[in-house]
Amino acid sequence: MTLCMNCKFLQEVLMFNCRSITHAVIASAICQRPSLSSLSVTDFKEARERENVTSCFIDSLMSLKRLTCLDLSYSCITDSLLYSLTLAALPLRKLVLQGRCQYTYTGISCFLSKCRSLQHLDIQRAKFLNDRRFNVLCAFLGDLVSINVSGCDKLTNSAFFALLRNCPLLTEIRMESTNIGAFEVSKLEVLNLSDSRIDDGALYAISKSCPRLLHLDLEGCHHVTEKGVRLVLDKCIHLRELNLEYCRKVSADTVAKMILLRPSLREIIAPPLLSL
């Protein structure tokens, strides 16, 4: 709190793993510096009288009229907090809510329908999301540049297509541990599909229609074979990073030939027991 009080030009506050700090202390600190543009408070302690303290914390957030980045990962995120943020109409560009998901579809839908300025959204492990609900949310995300919905295991190909239809500015999609399968992609630079059901058919689509791809993460994709990897290496001419860890159907020979097939590669994470 002393830092917030004395640092007149303070713009950004980051507090990670603050389990010994209560809502009330954080709220008091925030109120000392209403000009903050970025606030990251992760894994903070929940006091016994949660409702009263949470109300105090929410009120302090609403006072940050210049806030463009808010990260509340692994903290107590409720619908009440999201409703209040909606009413505050903060100029948020980045919102991170990964972790303990105590909010519901109703809360996040209300917020996103009003906050159309978001460019970066992270709602990992929002287990209530399915394709139908996600398709509705995508209609509110026209300015989105990056999104992370990893761990939302009810999302399938339909969710991916909804992003492509509604979010023309997207350059990064993270959908780890979802039920996504084969799909066609557009002009992405970063694509993380680790632990998904992607197969060679999907990689063929990527190889044809993703010329700007720089980073491809296929860790734990057990249906991918060396044929699919070769297609990506042949067509994705700017590819710089490739993760094939735990891709059990990719052989040592394929890994050894990768740099020859795609000279732009700078980092390769090989399957286990293989050496370059």
Side-chain angles (χ1 to χ4, degrees):
M1 187 171 71
T2 302
L3 282 173
C4 288
M5 182 183 302
N6 295 331
C7 297
K8 181 178 179 180
F9 300 105
L10 189 66
Q11 294 292 312
E12 182 177 6
V13 171
L14 297 92
M15 292 183 278
F16 297 115
N17 299 320
C18 300
R19 298 177 182 177
S20 61
I21 301 178
T22 66
H23 297 77
V25 171
I26 296 172
S28 178
I30 291 173
C31 290
Q32 300 297 325
R33 193 52 56 206
S35 60
L36 286 177
S37 62
S38 179
L39 176 66
S40 296
V41 183
T42 66
D43 202 12
F44 62 78
K45 180 181 177 181
E46 296 179 34
R48 292 181 180 178
E49 296 181 6
R50 180 176 123 188
E51 300 222 348
N52 293 333
V53 179
T54 298
S55 175
C56 177
F57 177 70
I58 291 174
D59 289 343
S60 67
L61 282 181
M62 293 178 67
S63 70
L64 302 178
K65 298 304 182 181
R66 299 180 185 178
L67 194 68
T68 59
C69 175
L70 179 61
D71 185 346
L72 296 176
S73 300
Y74 302 102
S75 300
C76 180
I77 313 302
T78 63
D79 283 347
S80 177
L81 186 150
L82 291 175
Y83 294 149
S84 296
L85 289 178
T86 302
L87 293 174
L90 304 179
L92 287 175
R93 297 289 184 271
K94 180 177 181 179
L95 180 65
V96 181
L97 300 178
Q98 68 162 314
R100 299 171 191 158
C101 180
Q102 296 185 19
Y103 63 94
T104 70
Y105 171 72
T106 302
I108 193 65
S109 178
C110 175
F111 175 79
L112 294 178
S113 68
K114 300 298 182 183
C115 185
R116 302 294 186 96
S117 58
L118 277 182
Q119 296 178 336
H120 307 276
L121 178 63
D122 186 334
I123 48 175
Q124 293 181 63
R125 290 181 286 279
K127 298 294 186 179
F128 55 78
L129 278 183
N130 55 31
D131 285 342
R132 179 182 60 81
R133 288 176 167 179
F134 189 70
N135 289 355
V136 174
L137 296 185
C138 285
F140 309 139
L141 302 175
D143 289 339
L144 212 61
V145 174
S146 69
I147 186 168
N148 192 336
V149 287
S150 299
C152 300
D153 52 13
K154 297 184 181 68
L155 299 184
T156 69
N157 297 0
S158 175
F160 191 89
F161 285 124
L163 284 171
L164 297 184
R165 286 194 306 269
N166 293 280
C167 309
L169 303 179
L170 271 176
T171 60
E172 180 176 359
I173 297 175
R174 295 187 178 274
M175 298 185 72
E176 305 168 45
S177 302
T178 61
N179 272 313
I180 196 168
F183 53 81
E184 292 184 1
V185 294
S186 61
K187 54 182 181 180
L188 296 176
E189 294 179 350
V190 178
L191 187 58
N192 189 330
L193 295 171
S194 57
D195 298 314
S196 69
R197 298 179 182 179
I198 194 171
D199 57 13
D200 287 347
L203 291 182
Y204 177 66
I206 293 173
S207 70
K208 291 194 304 179
S209 56
C210 205
R212 300 183 184 180
L213 196 63
L214 300 177
H215 177 105
L216 179 61
D217 193 334
L218 300 174
E219 179 181 343
C221 295
H222 303 308
H223 302 291
V224 169
T225 73
E226 56 189 71
K227 178 182 177 181
V229 174
R230 283 199 304 269
L231 288 170
V232 172
L233 294 175
D234 183 53
K235 299 295 184 181
C236 298
I237 63 174
H238 301 294
L239 192 65
R240 298 178 63 86
E241 299 178 28
L242 180 62
N243 186 354
L244 294 170
E245 191 169 11
Y246 304 119
C247 292
R248 295 176 297 192
K249 295 183 179 180
V250 179
S251 71
D253 290 340
T254 300
V255 174
K257 296 175 181 177
M258 283 183 183
I259 295 178
L260 293 176
L261 291 172
R262 181 47 48 219
S264 62
L265 279 170
R266 295 294 180 268
E267 181 178 353
I268 304 170
I269 301 178
L273 304 181
L274 300 183
S275 59
L276 295 179

